[in-house]
């Protein structure tokens, strides 16, 4: 793109249009990806997010100084809005069981009354519609000729887009989505006190359309399929029994009390939850995240680390005073961060590529629009460094993808494996260091304990218990311990926890 500096205005305009199109597509693609493969359903999405992140590193960081901050903000807004509107349409089709209208696999399979687009989780889908609303509010209020170029048509398009987003959010039945849209109303009210009253009007309209959609969709579902629909407003009144967040958080607080200073260790929550006998009710699912970012940091890294990280983030926000910000692009970035932050108090969106990318883009936009930032586009960007970094990211993603693909052969039927990995697969992929836990899990769960392999199997099963404490792993551990004559207090405790967690004795468990 360096040639654009010396080209004609027409060529520069074409180059800028190409830059904008590529940037928007790179922002939207991770949200829309329909492909999953292998034992980790999110891995393809993560790899795609890294690839799109490499493109955006060049487009935003490398070439970004050559374009205005407003142009950067517009590409972010259009990327979010494109992804949100397409996902909302897919979600409505899923809600009515009509995703088959499009060829497989463009929309993930679902069942009537369930909608999550290609994000496969209702709360993530709802958060995308919230980011889409944030983007739409920015675009609706930052057009230089909004008052002179077909204002009625523009308002109609905005209303229709809000209606589609409201339908998508309502179809998700996500309580998180309700809270996010109410939070956007509150943000708009705060910013309205500083002169941005039009945003408040649009958010109030969005809230009203959401209520209408939340009422109408279950009625339409019942009329079309005979199935009784359930919306987010009804779900607020439900009790999830042992699967509720109240029980989950009480368990996590008890785990924190056991190891408050250094925590249980990163990625050790699954093991900690399994191995700990709680005083009260137990969350009845495998638990790999606290569904609350501060609590998760505290349980895995310790309370001091959680206070340092969360307190530092809070201090940075208070210092920046976003409630006083009147810059449209900065308001969009703050609203995007607030949407993800609220979701992070109820789940773990930052463990997924699209949300990581969205967070980084918001932070970069805030940096680019800071008070002392250059207001005019600069002729020189950081293209060489950004190209080098992007090449490195793509190389890393390619290696991770290749290693994941070959380890994933272990989880396919032998006839469906790649020819080179069809025989003696475990031996051929045992040198993987990125996915060694996955390889060890496959080995433990497919090896029959015997006196000859009991020593190695026992050691592997103990480590795999930290990766996935499920019945097949526990059964291999206990049986190999029996063969070795190593039935100790530790194995007895594991046996008791097996019965407590899964309600089965080792003899009847798979």
């Amino acid at each position: 793109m360096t040639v654009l500096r010396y080209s004609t205005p027409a060529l520069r305009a074409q180059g800028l249009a190409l830059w904008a199109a590529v940037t928007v597509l790179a922002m939207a693609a991770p949200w829309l990806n329909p492909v999953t493969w292998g034992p980790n359903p999110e891995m393809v999405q993560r790899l795609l997010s890294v690839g799109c992140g490499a493109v955006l590193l060049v487009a935003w960081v490398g070439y970004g100084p050559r374009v205005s901050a407003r142009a950067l903000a517009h590409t972010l807004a259009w990327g979010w809005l494109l992804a949100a509107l397409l996902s909302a349409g897919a979600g409505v089709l899923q809600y009515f069981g009509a995703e088959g209208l499009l060829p497989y696999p463009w929309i993930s399979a679902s069942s009537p009354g369930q909608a999550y687009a290609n994000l496969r989780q209702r709360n993530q889908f709802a958060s995308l519609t919230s980011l889409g609303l944030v983007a739409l509010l920015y675009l609706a209020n930052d057009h230089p000729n909004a008052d002179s170029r077909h204002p009625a048509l523009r308002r109609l398009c905005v209303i229709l887009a809000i209606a589609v987003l409201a339908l998508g959010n309502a179809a998700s039945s996500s309580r998180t989505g309700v809270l996010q849209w109410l939070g956007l109303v509150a943000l708009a009210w705060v910013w309205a006190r500083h002169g941005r009253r039009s945003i408040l009007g649009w958010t109030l309209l969005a809230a009203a359309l959401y209520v209408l959609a939340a009422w109408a969709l279950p009625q339409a579902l019942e009329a079309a399929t005979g199935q009784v629909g359930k919306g987010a407003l009804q779900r607020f009144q439900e009790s999830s029994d042992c699967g509720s967040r109240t029980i989950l958080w009480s368990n996590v607080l008890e785990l924190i009390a056991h190891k408050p200073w250094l925590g249980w260790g990163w990625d050790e929550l699954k093991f900690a939850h399994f191995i700990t006998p709680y005083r009260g009710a137990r969350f009845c699912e495998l638990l790999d995240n606290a569904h609350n970012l501060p609590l998760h940091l505290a349980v895995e890294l310790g309370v001091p680390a959680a206070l340092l990280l969360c307190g530092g983030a809070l201090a940075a926000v208070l210092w920046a005073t976003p409630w006083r910000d009147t810059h449209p692009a900065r308001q969009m970035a703050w609203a995007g961060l607030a949407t993800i932050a609220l979701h992070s108090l109820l789940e773990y969106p930052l463990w997924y590529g699209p949300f990581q990318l969205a967070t980084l883009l918001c932070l970069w936009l805030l940096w680019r629009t800071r008070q002392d930032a250059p207001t005019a586009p600069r002729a020189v960007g950081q293209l060489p460094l950004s190209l080098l970094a992007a090449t490195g990211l793509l190389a890393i993603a390619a290696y991770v993808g290749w290693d994941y693909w070959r380890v994933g052969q272990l989880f396919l039927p032998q006839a469906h494996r790649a020819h080179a990995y069809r025989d003696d697969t475990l031996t051929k992929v045992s040198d993987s260091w990125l996915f060694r836990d996955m390889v060890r899990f496959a080995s433990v769960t497919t090896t029959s304990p015997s006196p000859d392999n009991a020593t190695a199997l026992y050691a592997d099963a103990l480590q795999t218990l930290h990766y996935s404490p499920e019945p097949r792993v526990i059964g291999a551990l206990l049986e190999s311990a029996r063969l070795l004559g190593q039935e100790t207090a530790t194995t007895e405790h594991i046996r008791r926890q097996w019965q407590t967690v899964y309600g089965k004795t080792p003899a009847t468990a798979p």
Side-chain angles (χ1 to χ4, degrees):
M1 291 187 179
T2 53
V3 297
L4 294 180
R5 183 179 174 185
Y6 308 102
S7 58
T8 66
L11 285 176
R12 283 198 298 271
Q14 292 176 6
L16 187 60
L18 177 62
W19 167 85
V22 170
T23 304
V24 168
L25 290 175
M27 289 174 178
W31 302 99
L32 301 172
N33 166 54
V35 179
T36 62
W37 187 88
N40 187 337
E42 290 80 36
M43 184 56 67
V44 174
Q45 184 192 66
R46 289 174 182 170
L47 294 172
L48 178 61
S49 297
V50 173
C52 291
V55 172
L56 293 172
L57 181 62
V58 176
W60 263 42
V61 179
Y63 193 76
R66 297 168 181 263
V67 298
S68 66
R70 183 173 173 273
L72 293 180
H74 269 59
T75 57
L76 178 60
W78 280 112
W80 280 355
L81 185 58
L82 175 65
L85 290 175
L86 290 176
S87 295
V92 172
L93 289 176
Q94 288 174 329
Y95 187 81
F96 290 101
E99 66 269 18
L101 292 176
L102 292 181
Y104 178 83
W106 290 109
I107 303 179
S108 299
S110 180
S111 56
Q114 300 289 327
Y116 37 71
N118 286 335
L119 292 166
R120 299 172 191 85
Q121 289 187 20
R122 71 171 84 215
N123 288 339
Q124 292 193 22
F125 172 39
S127 285
L128 175 56
T129 66
S130 300
L131 291 174
L133 179 59
V134 167
L136 184 60
L137 294 174
Y138 167 77
L139 292 171
N141 290 277
D142 193 56
H143 196 285
N145 300 312
D147 296 327
S148 58
R149 256 187 217 176
H150 312 294
L153 179 60
R154 279 177 47 80
R155 283 195 293 271
L156 177 61
C157 290
V158 172
I159 292 170
L160 289 175
I162 291 176
V164 172
L165 295 174
L167 281 170
N169 197 351
S172 75
S173 305
S174 168
R175 292 168 291 189
T176 300
V178 174
L179 296 176
Q180 287 170 335
W181 281 39
L182 291 176
L184 291 177
V185 172
L187 271 178
W189 177 79
V190 170
W191 284 326
R193 300 174 64 188
H194 295 84
R196 300 277 290 173
R197 297 187 179 278
S198 57
I199 293 181
L200 179 60
W202 288 124
T203 56
L204 290 173
L205 175 63
L209 289 176
Y210 174 86
V211 172
L212 180 61
W215 171 83
L217 281 177
Q219 308 294 328
L221 179 66
E222 186 172 5
T225 67
Q227 179 175 325
V228 178
K230 187 183 298 182
L233 303 180
Q234 288 78 27
R235 293 185 65 237
F236 273 109
Q237 304 169 12
E238 287 183 343
S239 173
S240 301
D241 299 323
C242 67
S244 71
R245 281 183 175 82
T246 304
I247 294 176
L248 187 160
W249 289 332
S250 69
N251 288 172
V252 171
L253 288 171
E254 193 169 331
L255 292 174
I256 293 171
H258 284 302
K259 296 188 177 184
W261 297 108
L262 297 178
W264 288 79
W266 191 250
D267 206 27
E268 289 291 328
L269 182 55
K270 290 191 294 289
F271 172 75
H273 179 59
F274 166 75
I275 208 70
T276 303
Y278 296 108
R279 292 190 296 268
R282 165 182 284 273
F283 186 70
C284 54
E285 299 175 18
L286 278 176
L287 183 60
D288 58 359
N289 196 283
H291 289 63
N292 177 282
L293 183 58
L295 284 181
H296 188 79
L297 295 174
V299 75
E300 294 203 336
L301 300 180
V303 174
L307 288 175
L308 181 64
L309 293 170
C310 297
L314 181 60
V317 171
L318 293 176
W319 177 79
T321 60
W323 52 90
R324 295 179 181 172
D325 224 323
T326 57
H327 193 293
R330 292 181 64 82
Q331 287 184 342
M332 177 178 67
W334 283 120
L337 290 175
T339 297
I340 296 171
L342 177 57
H343 190 170
S344 296
L345 294 177
L346 301 167
E347 225 170 39
Y348 46 105
L350 290 175
W351 269 245
Y352 295 87
F355 289 94
Q356 295 167 353
L357 203 54
T359 301
L360 290 174
L361 291 171
C362 288
L363 292 174
W364 183 256
L365 185 58
L366 289 174
W367 172 255
R368 179 65 196 275
T369 55
R370 67 195 186 278
Q371 192 170 5
D372 59 344
T375 55
R378 291 177 289 172
V380 178
Q382 294 83 26
L383 269 177
L385 285 177
S386 66
L387 283 169
L388 182 63
T391 302
L393 281 176
L394 291 174
I396 292 171
Y399 176 78
V400 173
W402 169 77
D403 200 30
Y404 175 71
W405 171 80
R406 68 190 191 105
V407 170
Q409 304 297 315
L410 289 168
F411 300 86
L412 295 175
Q414 187 174 15
H416 294 169
R417 294 174 185 172
H419 180 74
Y421 293 93
R422 194 158 294 169
D423 299 314
D424 202 18
T425 311
L426 189 60
T427 302
K428 292 177 179 177
V429 303
S430 60
D431 60 340
S432 172
W433 59 275
L434 286 174
F435 302 102
R436 61 180 178 271
D437 289 333
M438 203 176 287
V439 173
R440 190 185 296 120
F441 172 82
S443 174
V444 168
T445 55
T446 58
T447 301
S448 299
S450 69
D452 295 332
N453 63 26
T455 301
L457 184 59
Y458 179 76
D460 285 345
L462 273 177
Q463 294 184 65
T464 306
L465 198 63
H466 293 258
Y467 173 72
S468 183
E470 58 185 78
R472 291 180 296 170
V473 175
I474 304 165
L477 186 149
L478 294 178
E479 179 61 16
S480 58
R482 186 190 67 80
L483 291 171
L484 292 171
Q486 294 184 6
E487 294 182 291
T488 63
T490 298
T491 56
E492 275 306 306
H493 178 72
I494 291 173
R495 190 186 305 273
R496 286 194 301 270
Q497 288 304 106
W498 185 352
Q499 293 175 283
T500 300
V501 174
Y502 296 106
K504 299 177 180 179
T505 63
T508 60

